[in-house]
Amino acid sequence: CNLKRQYFLIYKKIERHLDTVFKHNRFINGPEIEELEKCCAEFVGVKHAIGVSSGTDALLLALMAYGVGPGDYVITTPFTFVATAEAIVLLGATPLFVDIDEVTYNIDPDKVKEFLKRPLDPITGKEIPLEAIKGLIAVDLYGQPADFDAIKEVLPPHFFIIEDAAQAFGAEYKGRRAGGLADIGITSFFPAKPLGAYGDGGMVFTNDDVLAEKIRWLKDHGQDATYSHRLVGLNARLDTLQAAVLLAKFDLFVKEERKRRNKVACWYHTALKELEELGKIKRPTPKPEENSPIFSVWAQYSILAQERNNLSQFLAKRHIPTAIHYPKPLHLQPAFSFLGYKKGSFPVAERVAQRIISLPLDAWKKKEEVFMVAEAIKEFYRCS
């Protein structure tokens, strides 16, 4: 993503916002944080938005608010960034992976339903009592929300649902916005995200007053007042300078960038249609249209490609950067080897991981740049 192009569009506004912070000197818990929280809550359509230090800490705080700990289990997807499952393990709980949908790459509600008929502990192989499974984290992968209505239908009443919308802030699902689709939603403001800060940052969303209060305590050392520590918490506050940057970017993101990202994805979709018809690649879903609703915010434009690694090297030689999100599912990562999952445990995630590749995308890509990338991909397949 080309962060410089965006910066030069709004650098004066960013500098004004930062200058304000330098003058008032409230670098921790400054007024910009509350202002950003109000903007985000209104945009997402929830009562509470709570600024935190990163998307990872947002996940951790959400789980802590539910009291997740040793002996507990949480269901999630094996095809995501490590933070999703990492937060579960850091609290002493056990992640239970369920395979993904072949089309969206998000967690498959039908497979969740099947798993819950006889949930097994991956470490012991023994059946898990349903009451020991506390909830589910669904990821909005690549900017497209998971199918939350279908997920809710298959879960027992006592389950919480956390929406990991780290890649999907600004996307929509059945008239509702990402971050507000579950009991708690979280997002990340990592610089490369659709709405990115100039460092780490994140946000937690909820309509639950009790959970919101608890998360506000937890993110600031468990304090309910200065030097009064109600809970054991974290130092997970959003930095005032990052809030100032995000406020400077916010209107442009909401009013223009989301639509432009959809337009760039549409150009890719058109330019790569022929290659999909030839069976060389598979384009992502949903189908983007220049003037369509923002079903996906296109954090990445990720295709499935034959000879993926060779294609990546070919494009790199032509100074076209690519990325692989993600080359190895979590159940095959050394960090989670203690769970006992093996190759073949989640075949869809494994197949996708072997072919996925993300192409250059930001809101300010030019049409000729997109078609140049597509032409280079066509050249690779003509030569291979």
Side-chain angles (χ1 to χ4, degrees):
C1 63
N2 194 327
L3 296 176
K4 287 184 179 179
R5 279 185 183 170
Q6 181 199 58
Y7 173 73
F8 287 125
L9 287 172
I10 56 172
Y11 73 93
K12 291 183 179 178
K13 188 174 184 180
I14 290 172
E15 289 176 355
R16 285 198 305 271
H17 280 239
L18 291 174
D19 188 55
T20 299
V21 178
F22 290 129
K23 285 176 178 175
H24 68 55
N25 273 199
R26 290 181 60 188
F27 298 109
I28 304 296
N29 294 332
E32 287 79 4
I33 294 170
E34 184 177 354
E35 185 181 351
L36 178 67
E37 289 175 341
K38 288 179 179 177
C39 288
C40 287
E42 182 179 350
F43 175 71
V44 171
V46 294
K47 289 172 67 176
H48 305 282
I50 304 159
V52 297
S53 49
S54 68
T56 303
D57 282 339
L59 283 167
L60 194 60
L61 289 161
L63 292 167
M64 290 172 72
Y66 280 116
V68 171
D72 294 335
Y73 298 84
V74 179
I75 296 171
T76 194
T77 166
F79 193 62
T80 179
F81 183 60
V82 67
T84 309
E86 188 176 45
I88 299 168
V89 175
L90 283 171
L91 293 174
T94 302
L96 300 171
F97 294 127
V98 173
D99 211 351
I100 60 175
D101 178 78
E102 194 93 50
V103 176
T104 66
Y105 315 141
N106 287 323
I107 195 166
D108 188 330
D110 290 335
K111 291 186 174 75
V112 173
K113 182 179 180 179
E114 190 63 30
F115 174 77
L116 288 173
K117 290 178 180 178
R118 190 170 178 264
L120 298 178
D121 185 313
I123 300 172
T124 66
K126 295 180 180 179
E127 189 165 352
I128 305 168
L130 273 183
E131 58 269 21
I133 305 176
K134 299 303 181 183
L136 178 146
I137 302 176
V139 177
D140 301 337
L141 199 70
Y142 302 151
Q144 179 180 351
D147 191 350
F148 282 93
D149 286 354
I151 290 168
K152 291 172 185 177
E153 285 181 7
V154 304
L155 297 185
H158 77 274
F159 273 41
F160 64 71
I161 307 176
I162 295 172
E163 178 190 6
D164 182 345
Q167 299 179 22
F169 185 73
E172 298 178 7
Y173 171 87
K174 299 183 179 180
R176 294 169 285 158
R177 286 188 173 144
L181 305 176
D183 302 313
I184 294 180
I186 72 94
T187 199
S188 167
F189 297 128
F190 182 79
K193 293 293 192 288
L195 176 61
Y198 288 160
D200 281 313
M203 193 75 70
V204 183
F205 306 99
T206 186
N207 285 310
D208 189 306
D209 296 339
V210 175
L211 287 172
E213 183 177 50
K214 198 172 182 181
I215 291 166
R216 289 193 183 279
W217 296 340
L218 287 166
K219 62 128 175 157
D220 194 11
H221 299 288
Q223 295 185 104
D224 60 353
T226 304
Y227 297 125
S228 172
H229 302 274
R230 176 77 64 100
L231 302 168
V232 174
L234 305 172
N235 179 7
R237 301 173 298 234
L238 177 63
D239 184 270
T240 304
L241 286 168
Q242 299 304 336
V245 170
L246 291 163
L247 281 169
K249 288 185 168 192
F250 196 83
D251 284 347
L252 182 67
F253 172 75
V254 170
K255 295 175 182 177
E256 189 171 353
E257 285 197 25
R258 296 187 309 140
K259 294 177 182 177
R260 290 184 66 99
R261 295 181 79 91
N262 206 55
K263 181 179 286 189
V264 173
C266 181
W267 293 336
Y268 268 124
H269 225 63
T270 299
L272 295 173
K273 181 181 178 183
E274 178 186 350
L275 283 177
E276 184 172 69
E277 291 172 347
L278 292 171
K280 301 295 185 182
I281 68 160
K282 179 183 178 296
R283 296 175 296 175
T285 56
K287 179 183 177 183
E289 297 177 11
E290 291 194 31
N291 299 309
S292 72
I294 313 299
F295 297 126
S296 175
V297 76
W298 300 101
Q300 285 87 28
Y301 189 92
S302 302
I303 63 174
L304 297 187
Q306 292 184 11
E307 302 178 64
R308 188 265 312 276
N309 293 342
N310 290 337
L311 171 62
S312 178
Q313 293 170 12
F314 181 88
L315 294 176
K317 290 177 181 177
R318 283 151 182 77
H319 307 289
I320 298 172
T322 58
I324 298 173
H325 307 95
Y326 299 93
K328 185 185 290 186
L330 296 186
H331 68 286
L332 299 179
Q333 293 284 354
F336 299 102
S337 60
F338 70 95
L339 294 171
Y341 292 114
K342 305 295 183 186
K343 190 172 183 180
S345 294
F346 304 105
V348 180
E350 292 170 28
R351 286 199 301 273
V352 172
Q354 289 169 3
R355 295 184 59 197
I356 201 79
I357 184 169
S358 300
L359 306 179
L361 187 147
D362 63 79
W364 312 106
K365 278 280 177 290
K366 299 174 183 177
K367 191 171 185 178
E368 55 267 30
E369 291 174 326
V370 170
F371 278 81
M372 180 268 290
V373 173
E375 187 55 41
I377 297 172
K378 292 175 185 176
E379 182 185 351
F380 168 77
Y381 286 114
R382 282 196 298 265
C383 298
S384 64

